[in-house]
Amino acid sequence: MAMPYSWQLNAVASYSTVLFYGLVVTVALAAATIVLSSLLGVLLGLARCRKDAVGRVAAGYVELFRAVPILVMIVWIVYAMPLLLGFKLPLFESAVAGLTLCGGAYLAEIVRAGVQAVPKGQVEAARSLGIPEYEIILSIILPQAVSMQAPAIAGQYSEMLKNTSLVSFVGVADLFHAATTAATITFRPMEFYTVLGVAYTAMILPLSLLSKRAETNAVRGGK
Amino acid sequence: MNGLLIRAAGAGKTYGSREVLRNASVSLSRGEVLGIIGSSGSGKTTLLKILAGVEKPDCGDVAHFGTRGLVFQELNLWPHLTVKENVALPLVKALKLGRAVAEGKARKVLEELAISHLAGAFPQSLSGGEAQRVAIARVLALEPDAVLLDEATSALSQELSAQVAETVLKLAASGKGVAIVSHDLNLIAQVAHRVIVLDEGSIAEEGRVHDLLGKPSSEAAKRLVMESLPGSACFKLVRSNASYVAR
């Protein structure tokens, strides 16, 4: 029979400042990754729809960076890139770069699917009315593509937030790193990892709700 | 030619292995309504798109001497924008008008087409006839020299179709050139000055509307005229020509 576990949450309370700083780093990582991945994803997604060399390069990028595990990418940027390319990014920026390069590839596929779902006739009509190509993309294609794909995009943002925990492996002091360190010092892993689970859930929940709402709106808009 | 807006000479178009248009020579001038008729798949829409400059012909030349606006058969309204935004967007993005000016102009065109009450509605909530008028409004707001309409009355009731006919005649009277593709020979009989009959990608016949519909000489034109409903404006034209009816 299992022994009853004696929870000692005061151990967590005594490390609340460390955990709070970790939380700030995690939120900053997630925010930077989401913003930069979105930009990269839109550019790559639009490029993927082209049938020329640009489209093929974008397709190659997407295939490559979806195949590489994010952790491998982060480790490569932190340890291999300085040796091969001769310059070293600060740790936080390296982590953001790794998360963004991979996250952008996933978002690119979501954006591509959205762009290709916009009926060609709408673009043809816009061209016939003299609207410039970049305005067609900004005013007609992207708003519809993003709206149609909002649930998938919100889901990908949740993934990105969870993936930030990988950066602790290279020593970025994020929430996971802070909790792991504190658990090791206090020998109270149960408390810290439970709090960690609750903290990530609390951060993901708004994104999930946003995703649900986006899904409802997309269904309504499609009627 | 004076007032010439569009001139296509020997235009041809092939999609894959299918030649949809062959050696089409067509012109459109100011103040003129050109009807383009033909059975399904005869190349009407392709010809209209080439005249509009939306499609490039594979062979032949097309010269434009003014601005053009094409109303697509599928209408192609932008579903994420309201009716007013659909009409105002090209004014802002293509003509670079200020938003307030563009919206004012959009409202005016919507009023002219009796759909100003739909300004805030989204396209998916419109009836076929309403959507068709929004698509027409979107083109008219740009004040093009030539207006090209692809099956502009296909989703309209007789009453609304008559309104479109009236609009077309007004446009021509104001000096615009109008090219209209339609299955509705009554509409063509009411508004067109000149008619082109397409048959399997080639121009089978061309002439003034009364001559052509009243006394068609090509088999394609005869077929189309005979298919039109008895009692219609087109049928009256046919009946007025005894020699043709006798055949």
Side-chain angles (χ1 to χ4, degrees), chain A residues 73-170:
Chain A
M73 180 52 57
I74 293 168
V75 169
W76 195 91
I77 290 174
V78 172
Y79 298 116
M81 200 178 74
L83 295 175
L84 292 173
L85 303 180
F87 72 92
K88 191 176 173 164
L89 283 175
L91 210 49
F92 182 86
E93 281 82 343
S94 297
V96 170
L99 291 167
T100 299
L101 289 172
C102 293
Y106 283 98
L107 276 175
E109 279 305 89
I110 296 173
V111 171
R112 180 192 60 78
V115 168
Q116 288 180 337
V118 175
K120 284 194 176 66
Q122 287 183 27
V123 174
E124 202 180 13
R127 280 194 191 122
S128 81
L129 292 162
I131 300 177
E133 286 297 318
Y134 73 94
E135 286 288 5
I136 293 177
I137 292 170
L138 291 178
S139 304
I140 292 162
I141 297 176
L142 280 181
Q144 292 189 73
V146 169
S147 158
M148 275 188 273
Q149 296 292 70
I153 291 170
Q156 188 57 40
Y157 286 170
S158 301
E159 277 303 308
M160 287 175 178
L161 199 152
K162 284 189 265 182
N163 287 341
T164 57
S165 61
L166 295 170
V167 303
S168 65
F169 190 82
V170 291

Side-chain angles (χ1 to χ4, degrees), chain B residues 65-225:
Chain B
F65 307 98
T67 52
R68 286 110 30 223
L70 171 64
V71 179
F72 290 79
Q73 184 174 4
E74 305 82 8
L75 308 180
N76 296 328
L77 297 176
W78 301 308
H80 61 300
L81 301 177
T82 63
V83 164
K84 190 173 75 184
E85 288 164 346
N86 259 277
V87 178
L89 187 76
L91 298 170
V92 176
K93 304 298 183 189
L95 297 189
K96 307 290 177 201
L97 297 182
R99 193 157 284 277
V101 177
E103 288 190 357
K105 208 166 173 182
R107 261 197 301 275
K108 198 165 152 246
V109 178
L110 292 175
E111 267 166 34
E112 281 168 14
L113 290 171
I115 45 172
S116 54
H117 59 290
L118 301 172
F122 282 91
Q124 54 269 36
S125 68
L126 304 178
S127 71
E130 289 167 344
Q132 214 145 21
R133 278 184 287 167
V134 174
I136 293 172
R138 191 169 64 173
V139 164
L140 293 188
L142 288 165
E143 298 179 19
D145 296 315
V147 179
L148 301 100
L149 302 154
D150 194 358
E151 298 288 2
T153 57
S154 61
L156 301 188
S157 65
Q158 221 164 4
E159 191 188 337
L160 291 175
S161 182
Q163 279 180 20
V164 171
E166 199 182 316
T167 307
V168 167
L169 289 172
K170 266 191 208 163
L171 289 172
S174 70
K176 294 187 191 302
V178 183
I180 181 164
V181 160
S182 184
H183 273 103
D184 182 357
L185 261 55
N186 294 315
L187 177 75
I188 297 292
Q190 281 171 49
V191 301
H193 301 122
R194 233 164 16 100
V195 180
I196 283 173
V197 181
L198 278 173
D199 185 33
E200 292 180 0
S202 299
I203 295 179
E205 198 173 341
E206 181 180 0
R208 290 165 56 82
V209 66
H210 286 79
D211 299 340
L212 195 146
L213 295 182
K215 191 180 178 184
S217 56
S218 67
E219 282 306 315
K222 282 179 193 169
R223 208 168 47 237
L224 288 170
V225 170

